[in-house]
Amino acid sequence: MPPVVSSVNPAQGPVSGGTTVVITGTGLTGATAVRFGSVNAASYTVTSSTRITAVTPAGSAGPVPVTVISPSGTSNTTVTFTYTAPPPTVTGLSPSSGSTSGGTVVTVTGTSLSGATRVRFGSADASSFSVVSATRITAVSPPGSPGSVPVTVTTPAGTSAEAPESYFFYSPVPALTAISPSAGPAAGNSTVTLTGSNLLNVTDVRFGAQAASFTVVSSTEIIATPPPGSGQVAVTVTAPGGTGNPLTYAYVGAPALTGISPSSGPAAGITVVTLTGTGLATATDVEVNGVPVAFTVFSDTQLTAVVPAGAAGDAAVRVRTVGGTSGAVLFHRRAAPEI
């Protein structure tokens, strides 16, 4: 008579195999093979006519019949061993942060991800997901509130556990409220302070289409160095949460002086002069022989300044603006007439 299998203990084990099981039944002496489904046991030992110890081979998730083959035939196929897949694990996210409005395409890496039926960001289902392989899923983040949430994957074998590497950070959109100064030289390389909110995770600062070097000071302040440029440009900051509102920054050319009137005055007294030229609107200083003097800006082409008393002779007058320093025009201080 062929052998009979009546039980297997334990009756389940991982798909990786390696489970030692005890098969009980009758007529087991002289067994020439033990099979789990269509695959031979990794090894087996016939202990008696009613007992065999076997080690399971690797298999696919689900039940398979356990059979014993001997010269007298093959046993019944009614006793099964169930291969269990391990629950999924999430070991990494790329990127690990995104906008609170959702829509970030995230690569989820881990193990045992095949057959995933659900991907969640915190308590919200992913907007969509695609299983690429047993170790990779591509998911689209749903909208969320600022902060971190665990990303979990569910398969028929269970749901992945929360782990530090499984957290996704919802980053709010940064907002700019001020830029100081709001203008600078066309050559760039000045220092600009940007203030606003949600600036801590900013990854990019741009003046127009050009990237600027920058340092994040706090969640409300960034120090940036504008690149060279011209005209008015939009200044934007970008964080994982998105790109914030723009502010305007003006590139200013260096000033030029073309005239001074009057061009002379008494050395012993003050003279109010009118300076004409271009690029004078953002004047920050007027200097006479390097000494700052009082001035008033009337337009981009005209300002007045006070030339103080000084030694007789020519004095160099220059204007400094956010765009640079002008060349000099000469004011002649006249000596008092001799009597």
Side-chain angles (χ1 to χ4, degrees):
M1 294 181 63
V4 174
V5 174
S6 57
S7 68
V8 58
N9 185 39
Q12 65 179 23
V15 293
S16 58
T19 303
T20 299
V21 301
V22 174
I23 302 168
T24 57
T26 59
L28 304 181
T29 303
T32 57
V34 175
R35 289 184 175 173
F36 290 78
S38 60
V39 182
N40 288 335
S43 64
Y44 70 93
T45 301
V46 178
T47 306
S48 67
S49 63
T50 60
R51 180 171 171 162
I52 292 176
T53 300
V55 177
T56 61
S60 300
V64 295
V66 179
T67 55
V68 175
I69 300 170
S70 72
S72 60
T74 301
S75 68
N76 55 297
T77 59
T78 56
V79 176
T80 60
F81 177 86
T82 300
Y83 281 104
T84 56
T89 64
V90 174
T91 58
L93 305 173
S94 181
S96 59
S97 60
S99 173
T100 54
S101 60
T104 302
V105 178
V106 179
T107 297
V108 182
T109 53
T111 61
S112 303
L113 304 181
S114 295
T117 57
R118 195 175 203 181
V119 176
R120 305 194 98 192
F121 287 70
S123 61
D125 287 333
S127 299
S128 64
F129 71 91
S130 175
V131 178
V132 179
S133 68
T135 60
R136 183 178 175 187
I137 289 175
T138 300
V140 178
S141 65
S145 300
S148 295
V149 297
V151 175
T152 56
V153 175
T154 299
T155 70
T159 298
S160 62
E162 298 175 11
E165 58 270 20
S166 70
Y167 273 78
F168 180 83
F169 180 73
Y170 277 105
S171 178
V173 178
L176 292 177
T177 55
I179 179 170
S180 179
S182 59
N189 299 320
S190 57
T191 299
V192 170
T193 299
L194 303 173
T195 54
S197 58
N198 304 321
L199 305 182
L200 200 58
N201 296 302
V202 164
T203 57
D204 187 57
V205 176
R206 291 190 174 261
F207 285 68
Q210 298 189 81
S213 60
F214 66 95
T215 300
V216 176
V217 178
S218 68
S219 63
T220 60
E221 183 177 335
I222 289 175
I223 303 299
T225 301
S230 61
Q232 291 188 336
V233 296
V235 179
T236 56
V237 294
T238 300
T243 299
N245 59 295
L247 294 180
T248 300
Y249 181 81
Y251 282 103
V252 179
L257 290 178
T258 57
I260 181 170
S261 179
S263 60
S264 64
I270 64 171
T271 303
V272 176
V273 297
T274 298
L275 299 173
T276 54
T278 57
L280 307 181
T282 61
T284 56
D285 284 293
V286 175
E287 298 176 351
V288 177
N289 283 345
V291 177
V293 299
F295 68 95
T296 301
V297 175
F298 287 97
S299 69
D300 193 56
T301 59
Q302 187 179 89
L303 60 78
T304 60
V306 177
V307 177
D314 289 334
V317 180
R318 291 181 174 85
V319 174
R320 189 186 307 276
T321 71
V322 296
T325 302
S326 72
V329 291
L330 298 180
F331 177 81
H332 183 72
R333 288 189 176 108
R334 298 189 305 270
E338 294 182 1
I339 300 177

